[in-house]
Amino acid sequence: MKRLFLVITPLLLALSTLAARAELTIEITQGRDNPTAIAVVPFNWQEPGTAPEDVAWVVDSDLARSGQFAPVSRSNMLGRPSTEQEIFYRDWRAINAEYLLIGRVSAQGAQMRIEYELYDVVRQRQAHSGVETGPINEARMLAHRVSDAVYEKLTGIRGAFATRLLYVSVTRVPGGKDYYRLTLSDSDGARPIVLLESREPVLAPGWSPDGRQISYVSFESGRPAIYRQNLSTGAREQLTSFRGLNGAPAWSPDGKNMAMVLSKDGSPDIYLMNLVSKKLTRITRHYAIDTEPTWMPDGRSLLFTSDRGGRPQIYRYDLRTGTTERLTFEGGYNARARVAQDGRNVVMVHQQNGQFHIALLDLVTNRLQVLTSTELDESPSIAPNGSMVLYATKHAGRGILAAVSVDGGVKFRLPSREGDVREPAWSPFMSR
């Protein structure tokens, strides 16, 4: 018996008590050798009572998770300034803080306002300031936006903390059918919301380019079918129900088409569906298995996995010329490609010495770098800023999510409090 939760509204996104059993935790396992020391002082709550969210703690956790920063412990802080006049730089030099972040949080009705300033402790001057406003029940997302701004100022790379994750959690039922839950959360695993619960498998979640819709494969009818769902209304539409395989949906960069894998005409091949007319165009025609399509950012070509050469490898199909070329040659197994927004880096599942790891292929230099050392790594999804890769793996006998930076230097795990977790999909940058 399936259940569809039509809960994706601004109010209910704040209700983290829903699906708390699916909430992810964070365990940082590897960071930079010389991270930047930053003191994130608790932001001053300027209203009566207790603040609805510890904004500074969210920012502190975001920056620590990036591996680029070493936040100063609150217990080591010699002061709690909330304005520039209250800053004594000697106090922060004494604890070796390189940067200092302070702020104030106020509310008017159902709206929240966060004012913040970033200071360079060594140069004793302001480095950045900003304001974030929005609904109080979106306080965590506002805090993530502060993290994004600080991260970009200090690294030159756009932050991706104010994004979301999709993943599938599975609760095993001994002697019975398992529970599958398609879950939406913040990028740090907080505020999980179950979008779909089913006793049948749910696979291949993905995002529309504007982040307002999702797609996935559900077996709820007894066979695989591709669905898309509006996150604002919860309304969903079944796009396919052909005989055989219906899988691996992937939105085009302009949101007008969806690549997918169908076997209705024989062997599994790549098709394009116009999402307005529902017209199908067959892209590949081969007796081998062609699967796992993903778009290049310019929308002019697709990457896909095929065993047409005898073993699974990554190929590129040019939509203008209709030509296909093989991209991967190192190793006997390369699959499930995902492309960074710069169009240069491709992450994939790569087999090395009998183990499946996540690897990165530079399409300019053709250099392949293995990023992970865990076992049974699968389903990579790259952050919209291209800095981190989220993937599914095994740890202590359970399926978990893990992340690694594109240079392999930062790693952390996101195990679920209950059940196994798989099939992650990192959202695009979210509109305000």
Side-chain angles (χ1 to χ4, degrees), residues 16-29:
S16 59
T17 54
L18 289 176
R21 57 189 169 187
E23 186 171 357
L24 304 176
T25 58
I26 295 175
E27 301 170 357
I28 299 174
T29 58

Side-chain angles (χ1 to χ4, degrees), residues 160-386:
F161 302 111
T163 53
R164 294 197 168 105
L165 307 179
L166 281 173
Y167 57 91
V168 176
S169 63
V170 184
T171 301
R172 303 296 182 187
V173 180
K177 300 192 75 171
D178 298 336
Y179 281 99
Y180 297 84
R181 297 179 179 89
L182 178 61
T183 305
L184 172 73
S185 77
D186 288 356
S187 65
D188 58 359
R191 304 193 303 167
I193 300 292
V194 173
L195 305 179
L196 175 72
E197 184 175 74
S198 176
R199 301 302 292 270
E200 304 297 336
V202 180
L203 305 171
W207 292 87
S208 66
D210 62 5
R212 296 176 180 176
Q213 298 183 76
I214 61 170
S215 58
Y216 52 89
V217 176
S218 174
F219 284 70
E220 63 198 59
S221 64
R223 62 183 184 184
I226 296 173
Y227 293 82
R228 67 172 173 177
Q229 182 169 333
N230 185 299
L231 290 179
S232 295
T233 66
R236 65 180 192 151
E237 177 185 10
Q238 184 174 332
L239 297 176
T240 68
S241 60
F242 299 109
R243 290 176 52 190
L245 182 64
N246 298 256
W251 301 76
S252 63
D254 63 6
K256 296 179 179 180
N257 297 285
M258 183 178 288
M260 59 187 63
V261 177
L262 304 173
S263 62
K264 66 185 186 67
D265 297 317
S267 60
D269 277 301
I270 311 298
Y271 291 74
L272 294 187
M273 175 183 282
N274 182 295
L275 292 173
V276 175
S277 68
K278 304 302 188 293
K279 178 183 177 181
L280 281 171
T281 302
R282 189 173 180 178
I283 297 300
T284 63
R285 296 176 181 269
H286 202 281
Y287 60 83
I289 297 175
D290 294 339
T291 186
E292 301 174 341
T294 191
W295 293 80
M296 292 297 289
D298 61 9
R300 297 177 180 177
S301 59
L302 289 162
L303 305 191
F304 64 96
T305 305
S306 178
D307 64 353
R308 59 182 62 192
R311 297 291 302 275
Q313 297 291 342
I314 306 299
Y315 292 77
R316 174 160 49 194
Y317 179 89
D318 190 311
L319 291 167
R320 298 167 297 176
T321 65
T323 57
T324 300
E325 65 171 325
R326 180 172 166 177
L327 294 183
T328 54
F329 294 91
E330 184 174 336
Y333 182 102
N334 293 286
R336 195 66 179 266
R338 293 295 182 265
V339 188
Q341 283 301 304
D342 62 7
R344 175 170 179 164
N345 290 329
V346 178
V347 295
M348 65 191 73
V349 179
H350 171 77
Q351 188 177 34
Q352 183 182 68
N353 300 323
Q355 302 293 335
F356 293 97
H357 302 300
I358 304 302
L360 182 143
L361 174 66
D362 186 320
L363 293 179
V364 175
T365 65
N366 287 322
R367 176 175 178 266
L368 187 129
Q369 177 187 4
V370 177
L371 301 178
T372 64
S373 56
T374 42
E375 299 179 2
L376 297 175
D377 302 335
E378 60 183 9
S379 305
S381 180
I382 195 162
N385 66 358

Side-chain angles (χ1 to χ4, degrees), residues 57-68:
W57 183 253
V58 174
V59 175
D60 186 289
S61 300
D62 283 343
L63 297 178
R65 188 170 73 257
S66 75
Q68 305 273 7

